[in-house]
Amino acid sequence: MLLEHEFVVPVPVAQAWDVLLDVERIAPCMPGASVDSFDGETVHGKVKVKVGPIQVTYAGQAKFVEKHEDERRIVLDAHGKEARGSGTAAAKVESRLYDEGGSTRVTVTTDLAITGKPAQFGRGVMVEVGSKLIGQFADCLAQEIAGPPPPPPPPLAVAAPPAAGEVPPAQAEAPAAGPPPAQAVPQPTAPRREAEPIDLLGAAGVPVLKRVVPLVV
């Protein structure tokens, strides 16, 4: 099924282009999505979808197959499979950026193929849900762009070369024997953010729920 959406972010097109390519920065704005790794081209991660009491997790990858900065056009190819089931999802997502003066209009065209429980909703419901999710993403992205940029990593300490006539530390006299220095205790790393699943029924809205609930039952 073909889904089309658009949104506006309050920054010039050049800045919006850089932000949309920063996967690790915008990933928290993607409903239901979490990133496991990113090598600059390919994203490995998961998308969680909730259908009533049933939760489905798709694990897979997405790759930038086209990046045309002069055209402000990005094409992303994604595919995944249910972690516990036979359902699959594949999408080719084309995004275009248009200069609107001090802001940027982004159009998103998604060619989506999905199997499993979410597929029972059909195109009408998926368009309604997709529009609401894109709206949530756009609002979050606007707040992210308006906020301060992430801090740069701290510079690495580089030892200064020894002055003329100075004995390098490696050749200096060994210190007197004594108790071994205390070993640094490794600190636990912060756990990755667990994304909240996309609630298809919650995002569908009341009019759509009247059509969806009989399918879920």
Side-chain angles (χ1 to χ4, degrees), residues 4-213:
E4 297 179 338
H5 304 93
E6 72 172 49
F7 59 92
V8 176
V9 289
V11 294
V13 67
Q15 184 179 349
W17 172 265
D18 292 336
V19 172
L20 288 175
L21 289 179
D22 190 344
V23 172
E24 294 178 317
R25 182 178 177 184
I26 68 172
C29 288
M30 300 177 184
S34 58
V35 174
D36 295 330
S37 65
F38 177 54
D39 61 9
E41 293 293 332
T42 303
V43 185
H44 292 268
K46 301 179 182 67
V47 175
K48 296 179 181 180
V49 179
K50 183 180 178 183
V51 185
I54 303 170
Q55 180 172 302
V56 179
T57 299
Y58 292 93
Q61 65 181 37
K63 183 176 182 180
F64 289 105
V65 293
E66 294 183 47
K67 286 188 287 188
H68 303 287
E69 186 171 3
D70 54 339
E71 300 176 9
R72 306 297 186 189
R73 177 171 169 267
I74 307 169
V75 179
L76 193 71
D77 190 29
H79 60 272
K81 184 180 182 300
E82 285 186 35
R84 298 180 180 178
S86 57
T88 61
K92 188 172 184 179
V93 184
E94 178 181 337
S95 301
R96 288 179 177 268
L97 282 65
Y98 298 91
D99 188 359
E100 299 282 331
S103 59
T104 303
R105 178 167 54 92
V106 184
T107 63
V108 182
T109 303
T110 305
D111 188 0
L112 176 66
I114 189 168
T115 65
K117 292 186 173 57
Q120 65 187 317
F121 293 126
R123 185 181 185 281
V125 175
M126 295 304 290
V127 168
E128 183 78 15
V129 172
S131 297
K132 294 197 174 184
L133 296 180
I134 286 290
Q136 294 175 18
F137 172 75
D139 291 343
C140 176
L141 187 62
Q143 294 177 11
E144 173 64 27
I145 292 175
L156 296 175
V158 179
E166 182 180 349
V167 179
Q171 300 176 11
E173 183 179 356
Q183 297 294 324
V185 179
Q187 298 297 320
T189 57
R192 290 186 178 272
R193 179 188 65 92
E194 281 294 325
E196 292 294 326
I198 301 171
D199 187 349
L200 292 184
L201 297 185
V206 175
V208 180
L209 281 176
K210 294 178 181 179
R211 306 198 306 269
V212 171
V213 169

